[in-house]
Structure formats: C-alpha cells, structure tokens
Amino acid sequence: MAVAMMVDNPEGSQEVYDAVREKLGLERPAGGILHVAGPSPNGGWRVIEVWESEEDAKGFVKERLLPAFEAVGAPFPPPPQFWPVHNHMA
C-alpha cells in the first residue's frame, strides 16, 4: 500500500536541502513515487513524498538520507510522519 511521508524540519533550509540532494545524486529512488519540497509555513523546510510502501521509505531514510545529512554536516531532521494514501496524482 502506498504511503505518504512528511518531514517538517524547523532547522531546514533550501541550502541544506540542495546540499543533501546533491550528495544523494539520484533522481528517483527505488519505491519513490512523488517528491515535493519547499519552505514550511512554520519556518524551516518541508518535504512530502509518496512511496510504494512504508518499508521503502524507511529504508531510504536510514540507508541514504541520514548518511547524506551527516556527510554535508547538517543536523538530522525530525522523524518523518507517515499515513496511508488512498489516491494520488503524479
């Protein structure tokens, strides 16, 4: 079942986001369906993604995303929030 994942990072910024994306060096990870990112209305940076499964999303966070944050010297974002997706447009 597809899941949505949101990370609302109060310490995030476009500069951190761009550095992490460059370090990841990929367009679409396995299991990834949709990715959007931008400034959070509460300050910081927000990322919302849709994944084929929660396992795919959690694997990407653990194996790729957190190491990329560490490599660029950025503080880790808060844990993501997940919810089931009934429908999506991509």
Side-chain angles (χ1 to χ4, degrees):
M1 165 185 275
V3 296
M5 177 179 90
M6 181 176 74
V7 176
D8 218 353
N9 187 354
E11 296 185 45
S13 66
Q14 183 175 345
E15 293 76 24
V16 169
Y17 172 82
D18 289 343
V20 169
R21 289 284 296 182
E22 184 176 327
K23 190 68 178 172
L24 288 171
L26 56 101
E27 290 301 314
R28 181 176 286 199
I33 297 171
L34 176 73
H35 171 93
V36 294
S40 174
N42 303 320
W45 200 254
R46 178 178 284 174
V47 174
I48 299 175
E49 298 178 334
V50 177
W51 289 84
E52 291 178 10
S53 71
E54 190 169 335
E55 293 77 24
D56 286 336
K58 287 182 174 180
F60 175 77
V61 169
K62 180 181 177 183
E63 297 166 15
R64 302 288 312 268
L65 187 62
L66 295 181
F69 268 85
E70 185 173 33
V72 301
F76 289 157
Q81 299 174 0
F82 292 96
W83 65 94
V85 171
H86 172 69
N87 192 14
H88 64 86
M89 295 184 309

